[in-house]
Amino acid sequence: MQRRRSWAEPFKIKMVEPLRMTTRAQREAAIEEAGFNTFLLRSRDVYIDLLTDSGTAAMSDRQWAGMMLGDEAYAGSENFYHLEDAVRHVYGYKHVIPTHQGRGAEHILSRMCIKPGDFIPGNMYFTTTKAHQELAGGRFVDVIHDRAHDSTLEHPFKGDIDLAKLTSLIDRVGAGKIPYLCVQCNVNMAGGQPISLANLREVSALCRRHGIRVFLDATRAAENAYFIQQREPGCAGRSIRDILLEICSLSDGCTCSAKKDALVNIGGFLCLNDDALAEEARNMVVLYEGLHTYGGLAGRDMEAMAIGIEESVEQDHMKARIGQVTYLGEALMREGVPIVKPIGGHGIFLDAARFLPHIPREQFPAQALACALYVDSGVRAMERGAVSAGRNPDTGQNIFPKLELVRLTLPRRVYTQAHMDVAAESVIELFRNAPKVVGLRFTFEPKHLRFFQARFAPVTGARVLLTEDADAPVSRCCCGAGGCRENG
Ligand SMILES: *Cc1c(COP(=O)(O)O)cnc(C)c1O
């Protein structure tokens, strides 16, 4: 019989950031003040912040040391050349253009390549990516395999592209109307699900035959490379670095938000292999971001990014990163909580439609669940369902995507296993009390990326999570903040 061998993070804690504990009554007031939108909460009112893994990583001592080496020259900063070396070394592209974050790179790529009336296929939309494609006059077309839309289906590569869907789009509109295919690694909205090398090789060959460029959204390409190493036949002996280089070699360039894999709080980059396109991008970056050797970033930010990129492909780091996500997911699965399977790379996605079957889609069950979770324990999550999907640009109707999810996203190197236990216990408690969660309606709806600033109200009364006696705040644990292990 094998004895249990525990797992622990490959780092220790040098500096702590105290968290403020709140009562349930304080959280009820805070979520109402925030218009029942977790994006509008003040972070001081949040206990465990699982809103996003974007820009929330803890930097290493080496990265902080690098911040002190910031060369804040307007042009030709030394840190830019470190960044260029790191990106070339780890991702393998020829030209590297820094941007303030991922959407800066998406903006430039979309403006350069998309003409009004074009179609941009991709393996499931991402909010900012699609918004920039549409602003440039293009139309996003989802060519991800159907299995990505089924949260119950276990498949190692739910990020794979359906070649039949891609071929049928090419036949329908013609390759001339498709400036590029946008391939997202570790597909965010599908639950952090990877694409396989086998699929990427086929897709890349198909596009090459039709003269269609392939650009990666490489934001989580290192995590994708780890899943390929763990799951794809023939890849077990390969390093994350080696696999990542092959992924990138199958494309013509990438956009990347360095706020995810690359372990920094701000930054991004655009990579291109084509000299002429890179020249055009350098012209545009000056207009929208800053000179091509800083792209809206301070020298110190570029230095931290260069170091973070090298750290992001270390085996021990990635094993701990994905291991923590798996730990949280398995705790929920053991109690039968409906989550997207298999467990993905950057978070756990609760299937709100199955979690709250009594709330109709028109009352945004995922938004309501994220609010109820906050009220229960101060854990902040994010809606990834109909609110995030927005409206159909032709009809103005709400889009109801197949997946109505709440994302518990794990910042890299920030929280401990005990934080994961607290989050899991709160979700499980809510799952047992699911009928008490109330749906929501819009009270304010912004035009672009509405999920960020929308405001809501509960469809009945003022509370999103009903208690037996709505006037008497219930605390189920001794500290009243959901932060203890005792059942009081
Ligand atoms: C975060 C993200 C982006 C946008 O990057 P920002 O740095 O937030 O501008 C693009 N694509 C994916 C897949 C992302 O997760």
Side-chain angles (χ1 to χ4, degrees):
M1 206 181 85
Q2 199 182 340
R3 240 181 288 153
R4 181 188 155 90
R5 299 299 299 264
S6 287
W7 161 93
E9 292 83 354
F11 55 80
K12 58 182 178 174
I13 296 165
K14 198 193 288 268
M15 189 188 282
V16 298
E17 180 181 341
L19 296 172
R20 191 168 149 262
M21 313 298 275
T22 52
T23 64
R24 187 186 174 101
Q26 283 172 327
R27 294 192 293 274
E28 279 181 341
I31 197 70
E32 192 179 347
E33 176 81 10
F36 296 89
N37 183 347
T38 52
F39 277 102
L40 299 180
L41 285 167
R42 295 177 62 149
S43 72
R44 68 192 290 272
D45 295 328
V46 174
Y47 175 38
I48 301 175
D49 204 348
L50 307 185
L51 185 74
T52 175
D53 64 332
S54 179
T56 52
M59 293 208 297
S60 66
D61 52 358
R62 294 175 61 241
Q63 285 178 291
W64 279 109
M67 296 286 278
M68 296 307 291
L69 302 176
D71 169 9
E72 308 305 342
Y74 188 87
S77 160
E78 193 59 14
N79 312 120
F80 166 72
Y81 296 100
H82 292 169
L83 175 63
E84 189 181 48
D85 283 348
V87 175
R88 281 182 177 156
H89 185 212
V90 170
Y91 293 86
Y93 297 108
K94 188 170 176 194
H95 299 282
V96 181
I97 297 159
T99 58
H100 78 286
Q101 57 184 87
R103 71 197 68 182
E106 292 173 341
H107 174 214
I108 290 168
L109 183 71
S110 301
R111 277 216 175 199
M112 285 197 303
C113 297
I114 300 171
K115 295 186 304 299
D118 280 350
F119 296 85
I120 305 90
N123 47 346
M124 201 172 274
Y125 84 100
F126 182 73
T127 54
T128 59
T129 321
K130 177 164 150 256
H132 280 296
Q133 291 165 353
E134 288 174 353
L135 280 171
R139 182 60 63 92
F140 166 80
V141 181
D142 193 2
V143 292
I144 202 166
H145 203 287
D146 276 340
R147 59 186 171 233
H149 296 284
D150 181 350
S151 73
T152 62
L153 202 131
E154 291 261 9
H155 186 283
F157 293 106
K158 287 171 93 173
D160 278 357
I161 287 171
D162 185 338
L163 272 91
K165 284 190 194 172
L166 183 56
T167 307
S168 107
L169 176 72
I170 297 170
D171 291 345
R172 185 160 63 82
V173 306
K177 283 239 173 277
I178 305 176
Y180 62 90
L181 166 73
C182 177
V183 180
Q184 201 190 134
C185 296
N186 250 32
V187 181
N188 190 340
M189 307 294 270
Q193 303 291 331
I195 181 169
S196 63
L197 265 183
N199 183 252
L200 195 51
R201 289 190 195 114
E202 277 190 278
V203 163
S204 175
L206 175 74
C207 287
R208 214 152 281 172
R209 278 201 298 283
H210 288 277
I212 298 169
R213 285 190 165 112
V214 176
F215 288 116
L216 294 186
D217 181 336
T219 297
R220 293 184 185 79
E223 290 177 358
N224 198 128
Y226 178 76
F227 280 120
I228 288 173
Q229 181 197 58
Q230 298 296 309
R231 296 176 182 173
E232 192 155 347
C235 294
R238 297 178 62 182
S239 66
I240 296 172
R241 273 177 191 280
D242 181 42
I243 295 168
L244 181 54
L245 278 174
E246 183 177 349
I247 292 174
C248 296
S249 75
L250 295 165
S251 71
D252 300 285
C254 76
T255 58
C256 186
S257 169
K259 299 171 70 172
K260 293 34 177 287
D261 273 355
L263 298 163
V264 285
N265 304 121
I266 193 71
F269 51 87
L270 172 64
C271 289
L272 298 159
N273 286 335
D274 183 283
D275 296 340
L277 209 53
E279 202 50 57
E280 194 183 338
R282 287 196 192 95
N283 276 323
M284 287 191 56
V285 84
V286 176
L287 281 175
Y288 295 108
E289 303 279 315
L291 196 68
H292 63 282
T293 57
Y294 75 85
L297 295 167
R300 54 181 173 269
D301 295 328
M302 290 191 287
E303 190 63 31
M305 204 199 302
I307 297 168
I309 285 169
E310 295 286 350
E311 290 178 354
S312 75
V313 288
E314 283 170 12
Q315 185 72 24
D316 287 341
H317 159 70
M318 197 56 90
K319 184 175 171 219
R321 157 58 172 171
I322 306 287
Q324 188 174 49
V325 176
T326 308
Y327 177 85
L328 175 60
E330 286 179 346
L332 297 177
M333 270 160 52
R334 273 198 299 276
E335 299 297 323
V337 175
I339 66 172
V340 173
K341 290 181 199 166
I343 296 168
H346 62 301
I348 299 304
F349 291 67
L350 307 175
D351 185 337
R354 284 195 290 144
F355 200 114
L356 302 174
H358 64 290
I359 300 183
R361 294 291 298 271
E362 293 73 20
Q363 294 178 11
F364 309 116
Q367 187 77 25
L369 181 54
C371 293
L373 180 64
Y374 170 73
V375 169
D376 184 70
S377 59
V379 170
R380 170 155 72 170
M382 180 197 293
E383 192 260 13
R384 289 274 97 144
V387 177
S388 295
R391 291 180 182 272
N392 179 319
D394 293 332
T395 65
Q397 295 298 305
N398 279 316
I399 297 168
F400 291 105
K402 290 210 183 82
L403 298 178
E404 174 77 8
L405 307 176
V406 170
R407 191 179 79 179
L408 303 171
T409 339
L410 299 201
R412 294 165 182 79
R413 310 191 291 205
V414 171
Y415 291 114
T416 65
Q417 194 154 306
H419 290 114
M420 297 304 105
D421 291 340
V422 168
E425 286 160 18
S426 177
V427 173
I428 292 161
E429 175 83 10
L430 274 179
F431 185 52
R432 297 204 177 112
N433 288 297
K436 292 182 184 164
V437 180
V438 173
L440 296 167
R441 61 182 168 80
F442 272 111
T443 58
F444 167 65
E445 185 182 344
K447 188 152 175 281
H448 295 294
L449 300 177
R450 65 182 184 179
F451 56 95
F452 282 130
Q453 293 174 75
R455 300 184 72 85
F456 302 85
V459 287
T460 51
R463 294 217 160 113
V464 77
L465 180 56
L466 300 177
T467 54
E468 287 74 16
D469 173 5
D471 292 328
V474 174
S475 80
R476 290 191 190 81
C477 57
C478 55
C479 73
C484 65
R485 306 291 195 81
E486 261 75 50
N487 285 317

